[in-house]
Amino acid sequence: MKIQFWGVRGSIPSPGAKTVRYGGNTTCIEVKTDSGQTIILDAGTGIYPLSQQLLSVMPLTCHIFITHTHWDHIQGLPFFLPLFISGNDIRIYGAFDPLLQKDIGDVLRDQMAYSYFPVRETELAADIQYTSLRERQTTEIGSTLVTGIITNHTALNFGYLIESNGKKVFFTGDNEELFNIYSPEDDSYEEYNQIIQHKNDFLHDFIRGANVIIADSAYTSEEYLAKKGWGHGTYEYCIEMAKKAEVPSLYFTHHEPLRSDDELDRIKKQLEARFSSSPGTPLLYMAYEGLEINL
Ligand SMILES: [Zn+2]
Ligand SMILES: [Zn+2]
């Protein structure tokens, strides 16, 4: 399996001199299986440069799994060029939205209304199929399995586990560590702690055995103090998650839009200095556009 990052930024694209090395496109990850299937995780603006490369392999069959429909994970989809070309077979998967009571196709079609985009979804020439997924529902793509698990975000978000040819990768999508909403003196505090423990165990068991985690690590632990409840992870929490799930490699992504290349370099060095001698710490990588993982 070959994994390539096409967008590593969270929230909003951030082009500019300070983000040239890591890249400014929002979330998009391409997974190419050993048997040649193309799976795409999220359709942030990174899917646009990916689509230009895919133009050379028409007709195309691909499977796009959307973690959730916040802008930074779908805003590139209307510009995914293979949608406009007949003969292409494009399958799009995601959660049913319980707030809007809409399936993934309805939500994505909405962003192609004339108010937002000049071409209607019905005018696209490719064969497009939408599938709404339930938690823990496994999609079989040949011998590759893709399973979603709900993670902790402000919208319903699926983290996806991809298993192919004996290798596994887990992508969190957007994910914040669970925290107790009660104060220690409240009656419900202990009970809530147990719920958190149970949910964490469930997540770690789900991920265990993966070769790689790709995780939302928008904040440092210092920044997080002012951003608790916004739905994003910290570097420290992601390391803890990988250790608990015994995963050997961790890729940080969903970088803050204002985070410069130099800051990302500095943060990685500091994390390695703090954690690398601690038993069970995974190898740490800062994801950048173009980075490839070969499993
Ligand atoms: Zn996001
Ligand atoms: Zn989000």
Side-chain angles (χ1 to χ4, degrees), residues 188-206:
S188 302
Y189 182 78
E190 265 316 312
E191 186 186 346
Y192 204 83
N193 264 354
Q194 285 175 13
I195 293 171
I196 290 174
Q197 180 70 46
H198 177 74
K199 285 189 171 179
N200 282 338
D201 289 347
F202 186 73
L203 178 66
H204 300 145
D205 289 346
F206 182 78

Side-chain angles (χ1 to χ4, degrees), residues 129-144:
Q129 291 179 35
Y130 296 97
T131 304
S132 279
L133 301 172
R134 299 183 308 277
E135 185 177 30
R136 291 213 151 198
Q137 178 180 346
T138 295
T139 304
E140 291 183 31
I141 303 165
S143 59
T144 297

Side-chain angles (χ1 to χ4, degrees), residues 105-126:
D106 295 330
V107 179
L108 294 177
R109 269 182 218 111
D110 283 352
Q111 78 162 343
M112 295 190 85
Y114 275 143
S115 310
Y116 308 111
F117 194 70
V119 182
R120 285 184 306 156
E121 198 262 0
T122 50
E123 296 175 69
L124 300 178

Side-chain angles (χ1 to χ4, degrees), residues 232-253:
H232 299 291
T234 63
Y235 299 103
E236 292 82 353
Y237 162 64
C238 294
I239 292 171
E240 192 61 24
M241 173 170 49
K243 284 172 81 166
K244 291 258 172 64
E246 302 165 67
V247 174
S249 296
L250 170 61
Y251 288 75
F252 299 118
T253 191

Side-chain angles (χ1 to χ4, degrees), residues 68 70 72-73 153-154 174 232 254:
H68 66 302
H70 282 164
D72 50 327
H73 300 259
H153 193 47
T154 53
D174 287 3
H232 299 291
H254 206 278

